[in-house]
Coordinates of all heavy atoms in Angstrom, one line a residue:
V12 N 112.5 64.4 107.7 CA 112.0 65.7 108.4 C 111.6 66.6 107.3 O 112.3 66.9 106.4 CB 113.2 66.2 109.2 CG1 112.8 67.5 109.9 CG2 113.7 65.2 110.2
K13 N 110.4 67.2 107.5 CA 110.0 68.2 106.6 C 110.7 69.5 106.8 O 111.2 69.8 107.9 CB 108.5 68.5 106.9 CG 107.5 67.4 106.5 CD 106.1 67.9 106.9 CE 105.1 66.8 106.6 NZ 103.8 67.2 107.0
V14 N 110.8 70.4 105.8 CA 111.5 71.6 105.8 C 110.9 72.5 106.9 O 111.6 73.2 107.6 CB 111.5 72.3 104.5 CG1 110.2 72.8 104.0 CG2 112.6 73.4 104.5
E15 N 109.5 72.5 107.1 CA 108.9 73.2 108.1 C 109.4 72.9 109.4 O 109.5 73.7 110.4 CB 107.4 73.1 108.0 CG 106.7 73.8 106.8 CD 106.8 72.9 105.6 OE1 107.3 71.7 105.6 OE2 106.4 73.3 104.5
E16 N 109.6 71.6 109.7 CA 110.1 71.2 111.0 C 111.5 71.7 111.2 O 111.9 72.0 112.4 CB 110.0 69.7 111.1 CG 108.6 69.1 111.2 CD 108.5 67.7 111.0 OE1 109.5 67.0 110.8 OE2 107.4 67.1 111.0
K17 N 112.3 71.7 110.2 CA 113.7 72.3 110.3 C 113.6 73.8 110.6 O 114.4 74.3 111.4 CB 114.5 72.0 109.1 CG 114.9 70.5 108.9 CD 116.0 70.4 107.8 CE 116.6 69.1 107.7 NZ 117.6 69.0 106.7
L18 N 112.7 74.5 109.8 CA 112.7 76.0 110.0 C 112.2 76.2 111.4 O 112.6 77.2 112.1 CB 111.7 76.5 109.0 CG 112.2 76.5 107.6 CD1 111.1 77.0 106.7 CD2 113.4 77.4 107.5
Y19 N 111.4 75.3 112.0 CA 110.8 75.7 113.4 C 111.9 75.7 114.4 O 111.7 76.5 115.4 CB 109.8 74.5 113.7 CG 109.2 74.7 115.0 CD1 108.2 75.8 115.1 CD2 109.4 74.0 116.1 CE1 107.5 76.0 116.3 CE2 108.9 74.3 117.3 CZ 107.9 75.2 117.4 OH 107.2 75.4 118.6
V20 N 113.1 75.1 114.2 CA 114.1 75.1 115.3 C 114.9 76.4 115.2 O 115.7 76.7 116.0 CB 115.0 73.9 115.3 CG1 114.1 72.6 115.4 CG2 115.8 73.8 113.9
N21 N 114.8 77.1 114.1 CA 115.6 78.3 114.0 C 115.0 79.3 115.1 O 113.9 79.2 115.4 CB 115.4 79.0 112.7 CG 116.1 78.2 111.5 OD1 117.1 77.5 111.8 ND2 115.7 78.4 110.4
R22 N 115.8 80.1 115.6 CA 115.5 81.2 116.6 C 115.7 82.6 115.9 O 116.6 82.8 115.2 CB 116.2 81.0 117.9 CG 115.8 79.8 118.6 CD 114.3 79.8 119.1 NE 113.9 78.6 119.6 CZ 113.1 77.7 119.0 NH1 112.8 77.9 117.7 NH2 112.7 76.5 119.5
Y23 N 114.9 83.5 116.4 CA 115.0 84.9 115.8 C 114.8 85.9 116.8 O 113.9 85.9 117.6 CB 113.8 85.0 114.7 CG 114.0 86.3 113.9 CD1 114.7 86.2 112.8 CD2 113.6 87.5 114.3 CE1 115.0 87.4 112.0 CE2 113.9 88.7 113.6 CZ 114.6 88.6 112.5 OH 114.7 89.7 111.8
L24 N 115.8 86.8 117.0 CA 115.7 87.9 117.9 C 115.3 89.1 117.2 O 116.1 89.6 116.4 CB 117.1 88.0 118.6 CG 117.1 88.9 119.8 CD1 116.1 88.6 120.8 CD2 118.6 89.1 120.5
V25 N 114.2 89.6 117.5 CA 113.6 90.9 116.9 C 114.4 92.1 117.4 O 114.5 92.3 118.7 CB 112.1 91.0 117.1 CG1 111.6 92.3 116.6 CG2 111.4 89.8 116.5
D26 N 114.9 92.9 116.6 CA 115.5 94.2 116.9 C 114.3 95.2 116.8 O 114.0 95.9 115.8 CB 116.6 94.6 116.0 CG 117.4 95.7 116.5 OD1 117.2 96.2 117.6 OD2 118.4 96.0 115.8
A27 N 113.6 95.3 118.0 CA 112.3 96.0 117.9 C 112.4 97.6 117.4 O 113.4 98.2 118.0 CB 111.6 96.1 119.3
G28 N 111.7 98.0 116.5 CA 111.7 99.3 116.0 C 112.8 99.6 115.1 O 113.0 100.8 114.5
R29 N 113.6 98.6 114.7 CA 114.8 98.8 113.8 C 114.7 97.7 112.8 O 115.6 96.8 112.7 CB 116.1 98.8 114.5 CG 116.3 100.1 115.5 CD 117.6 100.0 116.1 NE 118.7 100.3 115.2 CZ 119.8 100.6 115.5 NH1 120.1 100.9 116.8 NH2 120.8 100.8 114.6
P30 N 113.7 97.7 111.9 CA 113.7 96.6 110.9 C 114.8 96.6 109.9 O 115.2 97.7 109.6 CB 112.3 96.9 110.2 CG 112.1 98.3 110.3 CD 112.7 98.6 111.7
H31 N 115.4 95.5 109.6 CA 116.7 95.5 108.8 C 116.3 95.6 107.3 O 117.1 95.7 106.4 CB 117.6 94.4 109.1 CG 117.0 93.0 108.7 ND1 116.1 92.3 109.5 CD2 117.4 92.2 107.7 CE1 115.9 91.2 108.9 NE2 116.6 91.0 107.8
I32 N 115.0 95.4 107.0 CA 114.5 95.5 105.6 C 113.3 96.4 105.5 O 112.4 96.3 106.3 CB 114.1 94.1 105.0 CG1 115.2 93.1 105.2 CG2 113.6 94.2 103.6 CD1 114.8 91.7 104.8
K33 N 113.3 97.3 104.5 CA 112.1 98.3 104.4 C 111.8 98.2 102.9 O 112.6 98.1 102.1 CB 112.5 99.6 104.7 CG 112.9 99.8 106.2 CD 113.4 101.2 106.6 CE 113.8 101.2 108.0 NZ 114.5 102.5 108.3
V34 N 110.4 98.4 102.6 CA 110.0 98.5 101.2 C 109.8 100.0 101.0 O 109.2 100.7 101.9 CB 108.7 97.8 101.1 CG1 108.2 98.1 99.7 CG2 108.9 96.3 101.2
R35 N 110.3 100.5 100.0 CA 110.2 102.0 99.7 C 108.7 102.2 99.4 O 108.0 101.4 98.8 CB 111.0 102.3 98.5 CG 112.5 102.2 98.8 CD 113.4 103.2 98.0 NE 114.8 102.9 98.0 CZ 115.5 103.0 99.0 NH1 115.1 103.7 100.0 NH2 116.8 102.7 98.9
P36 N 108.3 103.4 99.8 CA 106.8 103.7 99.6 C 106.5 103.8 98.1 O 107.3 104.1 97.2 CB 106.8 105.2 100.0 CG 107.9 105.4 101.1 CD 109.0 104.5 100.5
H37 N 105.3 103.2 97.7 CA 104.9 103.0 96.4 C 103.4 103.1 96.3 O 102.7 102.8 97.3 CB 105.4 101.8 95.7 CG 105.0 100.5 96.5 ND1 105.7 100.1 97.6 CD2 104.0 99.7 96.4 CE1 105.1 99.0 98.1 NE2 104.1 98.8 97.3
E38 N 102.8 103.4 95.2 CA 101.4 103.4 95.0 C 101.0 102.0 94.5 O 100.1 101.5 95.0 CB 101.0 104.5 94.0 CG 101.1 105.9 94.5 CD 100.1 106.1 95.7 OE1 99.0 105.6 95.7 OE2 100.5 106.9 96.6
T39 N 101.6 101.7 93.4 CA 101.3 100.4 92.8 C 102.6 99.5 92.8 O 103.7 100.0 92.4 CB 100.9 100.5 91.3 OG1 99.8 101.5 91.3 CG2 100.4 99.2 90.7
P40 N 102.5 98.3 93.4 CA 103.8 97.5 93.5 C 104.2 97.0 92.1 O 103.4 96.7 91.2 CB 103.3 96.3 94.4 CG 101.8 96.3 94.2 CD 101.3 97.7 93.9
S41 N 105.5 96.9 91.9 CA 106.0 96.3 90.7 C 105.8 94.7 90.7 O 105.5 94.2 91.7 CB 107.5 96.6 90.6 OG 108.2 95.9 91.7
A42 N 106.1 94.1 89.6 CA 106.0 92.7 89.5 C 107.0 92.0 90.5 O 106.6 91.0 91.1 CB 106.3 92.2 88.0
A43 N 108.1 92.6 90.6 CA 109.1 92.0 91.6 C 108.6 92.1 93.0 O 108.7 91.1 93.8 CB 110.4 92.8 91.5
L44 N 108.0 93.2 93.4 CA 107.5 93.2 94.8 C 106.3 92.3 95.0 O 106.2 91.6 96.0 CB 106.9 94.7 95.1 CG 108.0 95.7 95.4 CD1 107.3 97.1 95.7 CD2 108.8 95.3 96.6
V45 N 105.5 92.1 94.1 CA 104.3 91.2 94.1 C 104.9 89.7 94.2 O 104.5 89.0 95.0 CB 103.4 91.3 92.9 CG1 102.3 90.2 92.9 CG2 102.7 92.6 92.9
A46 N 106.0 89.5 93.4 CA 106.6 88.2 93.4 C 107.1 87.8 94.8 O 107.0 86.7 95.3 CB 107.8 88.1 92.4
L47 N 107.6 88.8 95.5 CA 108.1 88.6 96.9 C 107.1 88.0 97.8 O 107.4 87.3 98.8 CB 108.8 89.9 97.4 CG 110.1 90.3 96.8 CD1 110.6 91.6 97.3 CD2 111.1 89.2 96.9
T48 N 105.8 88.4 97.6 CA 104.8 87.9 98.5 C 104.5 86.4 98.3 O 103.9 85.7 99.1 CB 103.4 88.7 98.2 OG1 103.0 88.3 97.0 CG2 103.6 90.2 98.4
H49 N 105.1 85.9 97.2 CA 105.0 84.5 97.0 C 106.3 83.7 97.2 O 106.3 82.6 97.6 CB 104.6 84.2 95.5 CG 103.3 84.8 95.1 ND1 102.1 84.4 95.6 CD2 103.0 85.9 94.4 CE1 101.2 85.1 95.1 NE2 101.7 86.1 94.4
V50 N 107.5 84.4 97.0 CA 108.7 83.6 97.0 C 109.5 83.8 98.3 O 110.5 83.0 98.6 CB 109.7 83.9 95.8 CG1 108.9 83.7 94.5 CG2 110.1 85.3 95.9
C51 N 109.2 84.7 99.1 CA 110.0 84.9 100.4 C 109.8 83.6 101.2 O 108.6 83.3 101.6 CB 109.5 86.1 101.2 SG 110.3 86.1 102.9
P52 N 110.9 82.8 101.6 CA 110.6 81.6 102.2 C 110.1 81.8 103.7 O 109.6 80.8 104.2 CB 112.1 81.0 102.3 CG 112.9 82.1 102.0 CD 112.2 83.1 101.2
A53 N 110.3 82.9 104.2 CA 109.8 83.2 105.6 C 108.5 83.9 105.6 O 107.9 84.2 106.7 CB 110.8 84.1 106.4
G54 N 107.9 84.2 104.5 CA 106.6 84.8 104.4 C 106.5 86.2 104.9 O 105.5 86.7 105.5
C55 N 107.6 87.0 104.8 CA 107.7 88.4 105.3 C 107.0 89.4 104.6 O 106.7 90.4 105.2 CB 109.2 88.7 105.4 SG 110.2 87.6 106.6
Y56 N 106.7 89.1 103.3 CA 106.1 90.0 102.5 C 104.5 89.8 102.3 O 104.2 88.6 102.0 CB 106.7 90.1 101.0 CG 108.1 90.8 101.0 CD1 109.2 89.9 101.3 CD2 108.2 92.1 100.8 CE1 110.5 90.5 101.4 CE2 109.5 92.7 100.8 CZ 110.6 91.9 101.1 OH 111.9 92.4 101.1
T57 N 103.8 90.8 102.5 CA 102.3 90.7 102.3 C 101.8 91.9 101.5 O 102.5 92.9 101.5 CB 101.6 90.7 103.7 OG1 102.0 91.8 104.5 CG2 101.9 89.4 104.5
T58 N 100.6 91.7 101.0 CA 100.0 92.9 100.3 C 98.8 93.4 101.3 O 98.1 92.7 101.8 CB 99.2 92.4 99.1 OG1 100.3 91.8 98.3 CG2 98.6 93.6 98.3
N59 N 99.0 94.8 101.5 CA 98.0 95.3 102.5 C 96.6 95.6 101.7 O 96.5 95.4 100.5 CB 98.5 96.6 103.1 CG 98.8 97.7 102.2 OD1 98.2 97.8 101.1 ND2 99.6 98.7 102.5
D60 N 95.6 96.1 102.4 CA 94.3 96.4 101.8 C 94.3 97.5 100.8 O 93.2 97.7 100.2 CB 93.3 96.5 102.9 CG 93.6 97.7 103.9 OD1 94.5 98.4 103.6 OD2 92.9 97.8 104.9
R61 N 95.4 98.2 100.7 CA 95.5 99.3 99.6 C 96.3 98.7 98.5 O 96.6 99.5 97.5 CB 96.2 100.5 100.1 CG 95.4 101.2 101.3 CD 96.0 102.4 101.8 NE 97.4 102.2 102.3 CZ 97.7 101.6 103.5 NH1 96.8 101.2 104.3 NH2 99.0 101.5 103.8
G62 N 96.6 97.4 98.5 CA 97.2 96.9 97.3 C 98.8 97.1 97.3 O 99.5 96.7 96.3
Q63 N 99.3 97.6 98.4 CA 100.8 97.9 98.5 C 101.4 96.7 99.1 O 100.9 96.1 100.1 CB 101.1 99.2 99.1 CG 100.4 100.4 98.4 CD 100.1 101.5 99.3 OE1 100.0 101.4 100.5 NE2 99.9 102.7 98.8
V64 N 102.7 96.5 98.8 CA 103.5 95.4 99.4 C 104.2 95.9 100.6 O 104.8 97.0 100.6 CB 104.5 94.8 98.4 CG1 105.4 93.8 99.1 CG2 103.6 94.1 97.3
E65 N 104.0 95.2 101.7 CA 104.7 95.5 103.0 C 105.6 94.4 103.4 O 105.4 93.2 103.0 CB 103.7 95.7 104.1 CG 102.7 96.9 103.8 CD 101.7 97.0 104.9 OE1 101.5 96.1 105.6 OE2 101.1 98.1 105.0
V66 N 106.6 94.7 104.2 CA 107.5 93.7 104.7 C 107.5 93.8 106.2 O 107.6 94.8 106.9 CB 108.9 93.8 104.2 CG1 109.7 95.1 104.5 CG2 109.8 92.6 104.6
A67 N 107.5 92.6 106.9 CA 107.7 92.4 108.3 C 108.8 91.5 108.5 O 108.6 90.2 108.4 CB 106.4 92.0 109.0
P68 N 110.0 92.0 108.6 CA 111.2 91.1 108.5 C 111.5 90.2 109.8 O 112.5 89.5 109.7 CB 112.4 92.0 108.3 CG 111.9 93.3 108.8 CD 110.4 93.4 108.7
D69 N 110.5 90.1 110.7 CA 110.7 89.2 111.8 C 110.7 87.8 111.2 O 109.8 87.5 110.5 CB 109.6 89.3 112.8 CG 109.5 90.7 113.4 OD1 110.4 91.6 113.1 OD2 108.5 91.0 114.2
G70 N 111.7 87.0 111.5 CA 111.7 85.6 110.9 C 112.5 85.5 109.6 O 112.6 84.5 109.1
C71 N 113.0 86.7 109.1 CA 113.7 86.7 107.9 C 115.0 85.8 108.1 O 115.7 85.9 109.0 CB 114.2 88.1 107.6 SG 115.5 88.3 106.3
M72 N 115.3 85.0 107.0 CA 116.4 84.0 107.0 C 117.6 84.6 106.4 O 118.5 83.8 106.2 CB 115.9 82.7 106.5 CG 114.9 82.0 107.4 SD 114.4 80.4 106.6 CE 113.0 81.0 105.7
E73 N 117.5 85.8 106.0 CA 118.7 86.4 105.3 C 119.1 85.7 104.1 O 120.3 85.5 103.8 CB 119.8 86.7 106.3 CG 119.5 87.5 107.5 CD 120.6 87.6 108.5 OE1 121.7 87.3 108.2 OE2 120.2 87.8 109.7
C74 N 118.1 85.2 103.3 CA 118.4 84.3 102.1 C 118.8 85.2 101.0 O 119.6 84.8 100.1 CB 117.2 83.5 101.7 SG 115.9 84.5 101.0
G75 N 118.4 86.6 101.0 CA 118.9 87.5 100.0 C 118.0 87.5 98.8 O 118.3 88.3 97.9
T76 N 117.0 86.7 98.7 CA 116.1 86.6 97.6 C 115.5 88.1 97.2 O 115.6 88.6 96.1 CB 115.0 85.6 97.7 OG1 115.5 84.4 98.0 CG2 114.1 85.6 96.5
C77 N 115.0 88.7 98.2 CA 114.4 90.0 98.0 C 115.4 91.1 97.6 O 115.2 91.9 96.8 CB 113.6 90.4 99.2 SG 114.4 90.6 100.8
R78 N 116.6 90.9 98.2 CA 117.7 91.8 97.8 C 118.1 91.7 96.4 O 118.3 92.7 95.6 CB 118.9 91.6 98.8 CG 120.1 92.5 98.6 CD 121.1 92.2 99.6 NE 122.1 93.3 99.6 CZ 123.0 93.5 100.5 NH1 123.0 92.7 101.6 NH2 123.8 94.4 100.4
V79 N 118.2 90.4 95.9 CA 118.6 90.3 94.5 C 117.5 90.7 93.5 O 117.7 91.3 92.6 CB 118.9 88.8 94.3 CG1 119.1 88.4 92.9 CG2 120.2 88.4 95.2
L80 N 116.2 90.4 93.9 CA 115.1 90.6 93.0 C 114.9 92.1 92.8 O 114.4 92.6 91.7 CB 113.8 90.0 93.5 CG 113.6 88.5 93.1 CD1 112.2 88.1 93.6 CD2 113.5 88.4 91.5
T81 N 115.3 92.9 93.8 CA 115.1 94.3 93.7 C 116.4 95.1 93.6 O 116.4 96.3 93.8 CB 114.2 94.9 94.9 OG1 114.9 94.6 96.1 CG2 112.9 94.2 95.0
A82 N 117.5 94.5 93.2 CA 118.8 95.1 93.2 C 118.7 96.3 92.3 O 119.4 97.3 92.5 CB 119.9 94.1 92.9
D83 N 118.2 96.1 91.1 CA 118.2 97.1 90.1 C 117.2 98.3 90.4 O 117.5 99.4 90.2 CB 117.9 96.6 88.7 CG 119.1 95.6 88.2 OD1 120.2 95.9 88.7 OD2 118.7 94.8 87.4
S84 N 116.0 97.8 90.9 CA 115.0 98.9 91.1 C 115.2 99.7 92.4 O 114.6 100.7 92.5 CB 113.7 98.2 91.2 OG 113.5 97.4 92.2
G85 N 115.8 99.0 93.3 CA 116.1 99.8 94.6 C 114.8 99.9 95.4 O 114.7 100.7 96.3
E86 N 113.8 99.0 95.1 CA 112.5 99.1 95.9 C 112.6 98.6 97.3 O 111.7 98.9 98.1 CB 111.4 98.3 95.2 CG 111.1 98.8 93.8 CD 110.4 97.8 92.9 OE1 111.0 96.7 92.6 OE2 109.2 98.0 92.7
V87 N 113.7 97.9 97.6 CA 113.8 97.3 99.0 C 115.1 97.7 99.5 O 116.1 97.7 98.8 CB 113.7 95.8 98.9 CG1 114.1 95.2 100.2 CG2 112.3 95.3 98.6
E88 N 115.1 98.3 100.7 CA 116.3 98.7 101.4 C 116.7 97.5 102.4 O 115.9 97.2 103.2 CB 116.0 100.0 102.2 CG 117.1 100.6 102.9 CD 116.7 101.8 103.7 OE1 115.7 102.5 103.3 OE2 117.3 102.0 104.9
W89 N 117.8 97.0 102.2 CA 118.2 95.8 102.8 C 119.5 95.9 103.6 O 120.5 96.4 102.9 CB 118.4 94.7 101.7 CG 118.2 93.2 102.2 CD1 117.1 92.4 101.9 CD2 119.2 92.4 102.9 NE1 117.4 91.2 102.4 CE2 118.6 91.2 103.0 CE3 120.5 92.7 103.3 CZ2 119.3 90.1 103.6 CZ3 121.2 91.6 104.0 CH2 120.6 90.4 104.1
N90 N 119.5 95.6 104.8 CA 120.8 95.6 105.6 C 120.8 94.4 106.5 O 119.8 93.8 106.7 CB 120.8 96.9 106.5 CG 120.9 98.2 105.7 OD1 121.9 98.5 105.2 ND2 119.8 98.8 105.7
Y91 N 122.0 94.0 106.8 CA 122.0 92.9 107.7 C 121.5 93.4 109.1 O 121.7 94.6 109.4 CB 123.5 92.4 108.0 CG 123.8 91.5 106.8 CD1 124.6 91.9 105.7 CD2 123.4 90.1 106.7 CE1 125.0 91.0 104.7 CE2 123.7 89.3 105.7 CZ 124.5 89.8 104.7 OH 124.9 89.0 103.6
P92 N 120.9 92.5 109.9 CA 120.6 93.0 111.3 C 121.8 93.3 112.1 O 122.9 92.9 111.8 CB 119.9 91.7 111.9 CG 119.5 90.9 110.7 CD 120.6 91.1 109.6
R93 N 121.6 94.1 113.2 CA 122.7 94.4 114.0 C 123.2 93.1 114.6 O 122.4 92.1 114.8 CB 122.2 95.4 115.1 CG 122.0 96.8 114.7 CD 121.8 97.7 115.9 NE 120.7 97.4 116.7 CZ 120.6 97.8 118.0 NH1 121.6 98.5 118.6 NH2 119.5 97.5 118.6
G94 N 124.4 93.3 115.1 CA 125.0 92.0 115.8 C 124.1 91.5 116.9 O 123.7 92.3 117.7
G95 N 124.0 90.2 117.0 CA 123.2 89.7 118.1 C 121.7 89.5 117.7 O 121.0 88.8 118.4
Y96 N 121.3 90.2 116.7 CA 119.8 90.1 116.3 C 119.6 89.3 115.0 O 120.6 89.0 114.3 CB 119.3 91.6 116.1 CG 119.2 92.4 117.3 CD1 120.3 93.3 117.8 CD2 118.2 92.3 118.2 CE1 120.2 94.0 118.9 CE2 118.1 93.0 119.4 CZ 119.1 93.9 119.8 OH 119.0 94.6 120.9
G97 N 118.4 89.0 114.8 CA 118.1 88.4 113.5 C 118.1 86.8 113.7 O 117.9 86.4 114.8
V98 N 118.3 86.1 112.7 CA 118.1 84.7 112.7 C 119.3 83.9 113.4 O 120.4 84.4 113.2 CB 117.8 84.2 111.3 CG1 119.0 84.2 110.4 CG2 117.2 82.8 111.3
L99 N 118.9 82.9 114.0 CA 120.0 82.0 114.6 C 119.7 80.6 114.0 O 118.7 80.0 114.5 CB 119.9 82.0 116.1 CG 120.8 81.0 116.8 CD1 122.4 81.4 116.5 CD2 120.6 81.0 118.3
F100 N 120.5 80.1 113.1 CA 120.3 78.8 112.5 C 120.7 77.7 113.4 O 121.7 77.7 114.0 CB 121.0 78.8 111.1 CG 120.4 79.7 110.1 CD1 121.0 80.8 109.7 CD2 119.1 79.4 109.5 CE1 120.5 81.7 108.8 CE2 118.6 80.1 108.5 CZ 119.3 81.3 108.2
K101 N 119.8 76.7 113.5 CA 120.3 75.5 114.3 C 120.7 74.3 113.3 O 121.3 73.5 113.8 CB 119.0 75.0 115.1 CG 118.6 76.0 116.1 CD 119.6 76.1 117.2 CE 119.1 77.2 118.3 NZ 118.0 76.6 119.1
F102 N 120.4 74.5 112.1 CA 120.8 73.5 111.1 C 121.6 74.2 110.0 O 121.0 75.0 109.2 CB 119.7 72.7 110.5 CG 119.1 71.6 111.3 CD1 118.0 71.9 112.1 CD2 119.6 70.5 111.4 CE1 117.4 71.0 112.8 CE2 119.0 69.5 112.1 CZ 117.9 69.7 112.9
G103 N 122.9 74.0 109.9 CA 123.7 74.5 108.8 C 123.8 75.9 108.7 O 123.2 76.7 109.4
Ligands
SF4_10 FE1 112.4 86.9 102.8 FE2 114.9 86.1 102.2 FE3 114.1 88.7 101.9 FE4 114.5 87.6 104.3 S1 116.0 87.9 102.8 S2 112.8 88.9 103.7 S3 113.8 85.5 104.1 S4 113.3 86.9 100.8

């Protein structure tokens, strides 16, 4: 089974209007923020047309990669989703 097929069975309940991850406003993204557009396993981070990094945490697997990568810089505000929201894993 491919990893994409396993990820497909996960379910995600969006907490509309209350994203559990936010990127702090910035003009030019740091190397860590740019890296997140490549390493987030759920593809939540993208670069907008002004060159700033944005996050859309729908589908976030709570792996913590972005939290760890920006722990020192504080560029990402990270909280667990409210109870009942967020990812529901079907495997492990
Ligand atoms: Fe992506 Fe993991 Fe950060 Fe969620 S916790 S946005 S899956 S890097």
Side-chain angles (χ1 to χ4, degrees):
V12 180
K13 289 182 184 173
V14 69
E15 288 82 3
E16 291 169 356
K17 285 190 172 185
L18 290 175
Y19 183 74
V20 301
N21 291 335
R22 291 293 172 259
Y23 192 90
L24 186 59
V25 174
D26 195 357
R29 295 182 63 161
H31 69 285
I32 302 175
K33 296 175 187 169
V34 175
R35 294 207 195 284
H37 56 277
E38 288 298 322
T39 307
S41 66
L44 283 181
V45 173
L47 289 175
T48 66
H49 301 287
V50 302
C51 170
C55 295
Y56 287 86
T57 54
T58 304
N59 66 21
D60 54 10
R61 296 181 304 284
Q63 297 151 345
V64 171
E65 297 179 339
V66 64
D69 301 355
C71 166
M72 291 179 271
E73 299 171 26
C74 72
T76 302
C77 57
R78 184 174 187 164
V79 170
L80 272 181
T81 60
D83 291 335
S84 66
E86 296 165 290
V87 169
E88 186 184 324
W89 203 104
N90 294 287
Y91 281 104
R93 287 195 296 163
Y96 292 95
V98 69
L99 173 65
F100 290 104
K101 297 291 181 70
F102 282 97

